Amino acid sequence: GKGNYRHFMEKELHEHPAVIGDTLRQYVDPATRAVSRPALPFDPATLPRLWLSGCGSAFIVCQTARYWFETIARLPCDADVASELRYRDPPMTGGGAAMFVSQSGETADNLAAMKLLRTGGQSIVSVVNVPESTMSRESDATLMTVAGPEISVASTKAFTAQLSVMACLALNFARARGAIDAEEEARLTTALLEVPEHAARLLDASAEIEALAEDIKGARDVLYLGRGSMFPIALEGALKLKELSYIHAEGYAAGEMKHGPIALIDDSVPVISLCPSGPLFEKTASNLQEAAARGGRIIAFTDEDGAQALRRFASRVVVLPKVDPFVAPILHAIPVQMLAYHVAVLKGTDVDQPRNLAKAVTVE
Ligand code: M6R
């Protein structure tokens, strides 16, 4: 049941800290801070290329993971939406590997993409939350997310569990490929291990997100912006808002604003940006300033180091704990999901069962 919570989604949001912690414990040795992993049907040290495939929020996990595999593990990587991958017929050289991310493990398009990549000579790994699922059965290896049953149609804790698995794999592959040393691995796993505690604090401070939800609930359109590994989290924010509150929302790479979407900006369009401090901060902040100069209502999620610069032109600045940029996408996913939840509650939509949607999409 949902205990004292109003909705399964609210309960599942509150499970983020425990689920992230449980997932990390499967991979990270707390004493050495090294990442171990179950046996895989390929050697990450010599892997020529990695394919990542998923639908909806699972695809967003793939997009985030691609930044990690490329930048940290120096591994050539593609992230594809399964419904496109299955028909795209990309040229493949045998000997690569493909990972299929899915909460249910039953998503029809992802299963079809799996068949295609197997035929193309790739090793097949699934990252699923349901152990006896079809995707798990049809894979050479399965990596489990230990999120527990997720009832709400909107994915929450499965999403951060999937991100946690992918982050661990990126570090493990990075070591295997000689892209990082043990010291860097320990520094980054330490950052990961601190995420559950930060996540718990965010969940306790929901009043600010609820106030923000009041601001957003009357909007017709909302834009979400991010750069680098925060770009997929902008997509996640937009997807959750659409799915739960039926408000039109789009996620964009912040640098794409001036190539079209900035034409939408006026004072009725909230621009929600995921802008933690780090190497891409200045670039994102200057994109936001351009939107503000055109009357855009800027709402920024950042940390203490980013807050001061953003307060000069943003109408709201939500200050999150300061973390290493590596783990920032995991942490920022939580307030954007909370925001979509609270907007939906204010609008009175069916939070756990949004219209037209199913928990597992088993037909094409
Ligand atoms: O079971 P799966 O992870 O394969 O499901 C994929 C998508 O259908 C799912 O993530 C969907 O986008 C969610 N409703 C998003 O909250």
Side-chain angles (χ1 to χ4, degrees):
K2 40 188 192 237
N4 290 327
Y5 294 103
R6 290 169 290 178
H7 303 98
F8 280 105
M9 183 177 177
E10 188 181 34
K11 172 173 180 265
E12 290 163 4
L13 279 167
H14 281 85
E15 290 175 302
H16 275 304
V19 160
I20 298 167
D22 290 347
T23 303
L24 294 176
R25 264 188 293 281
Q26 293 200 313
Y27 290 86
V28 182
D29 177 337
T32 63
R33 306 268 151 141
V35 180
S36 60
R37 56 159 173 83
L40 289 174
F42 60 87
D43 178 2
T46 54
L47 188 67
R49 186 178 189 187
L50 177 65
W51 304 77
L52 302 173
S53 170
C55 304
S57 282
F59 169 53
I60 292 169
V61 168
C62 295
Q63 288 173 285
T64 314
R66 181 173 56 137
Y67 286 93
W68 292 333
F69 284 117
E70 287 183 345
T71 59
I72 303 171
R74 309 307 301 159
L75 172 61
C77 184
D78 288 285
D80 279 285
V81 68
S83 58
E84 286 301 311
L85 179 57
R86 67 179 290 186
Y87 294 119
R88 221 175 70 218
D89 196 18
M92 282 180 251
T93 321
M99 283 192 203
F100 297 84
V101 181
S102 175
Q103 190 285 130
S104 63
E106 303 296 344
T107 305
D109 283 321
N110 221 6
L111 275 160
M114 189 181 261
K115 284 207 178 77
L116 178 79
L117 271 81
R118 183 184 290 293
T119 309
Q122 312 302 303
S123 301
I124 305 296
V125 177
S126 57
V127 179
V128 296
N129 198 42
V130 179
E132 60 288 350
S133 57
T134 311
M135 285 176 59
S136 169
R137 282 200 310 272
E138 295 190 1
S139 304
D140 302 319
T142 301
L143 299 171
M144 290 300 303
T145 46
V146 284
E150 191 181 66
I151 308 296
S152 157
V153 165
S155 183
T156 53
K157 58 178 180 164
F159 182 79
T160 52
Q162 289 161 351
L163 286 177
S164 303
V165 168
M166 301 309 256
C168 289
L169 288 181
L171 295 184
N172 180 270
F173 290 10
R175 269 319 291 289
R177 299 171 71 80
I180 58 170
D181 60 16
E183 197 185 326
E184 180 68 351
E185 180 185 26
R187 193 181 70 77
L188 295 173
T189 51
T190 302
L192 275 174
L193 292 171
E194 286 166 4
V195 170
E197 203 182 297
H198 292 313
R201 275 200 282 143
L202 286 182
L203 290 160
D204 285 344
S206 73
E208 198 174 0
I209 304 291
E210 287 176 51
L212 179 54
E214 287 282 355
D215 265 18
I216 300 291
K217 70 169 193 223
R220 200 189 59 178
D221 309 288
V222 179
L223 290 181
Y224 286 78
L225 302 180
R227 267 184 190 262
S229 62
M230 303 310 293
F231 165 41
I233 305 307
L235 299 176
E236 169 68 2
L239 175 60
K240 286 293 181 296
L241 192 70
K242 278 186 275 218
E243 137 172 77
L244 290 162
S245 73
Y246 316 147
I247 294 174
H248 171 243
E250 296 296 336
Y252 279 101
E256 274 291 289
M257 282 295 283
K258 55 171 67 105
H259 301 285
I262 201 163
L264 291 173
I265 301 285
D266 63 30
D267 58 12
S268 71
V269 182
V271 179
I272 300 182
S273 68
L274 305 169
C275 194
S277 61
L280 298 173
F281 177 82
E282 299 296 336
K283 298 274 178 206
T284 314
S286 90
N287 298 133
L288 297 177
Q289 211 162 352
E290 285 160 11
R294 284 153 186 87
R297 251 200 300 151
I298 310 298
I299 295 149
F301 288 91
T302 186
D303 51 41
E304 214 32 84
D305 290 0
Q308 207 190 349
L310 296 171
R311 280 198 186 103
R312 285 203 285 274
F313 55 83
S315 64
R316 250 178 207 279
V317 175
V318 181
V319 181
L320 308 186
K322 168 134 175 64
V323 294
D324 190 277
F326 169 50
V327 302
I330 310 178
L331 198 67
H332 279 245
I334 297 171
V336 299
Q337 292 179 348
M338 288 167 71
L339 178 62
Y341 172 77
H342 288 295
V343 174
V345 169
L346 290 173
K347 296 201 83 165
T349 58
D350 189 345
V351 172
D352 285 334
Q353 287 284 332
R355 67 187 182 198
N356 309 339
L357 292 174
K359 183 63 181 161
V361 182
T362 54
V363 291
E364 182 170 353

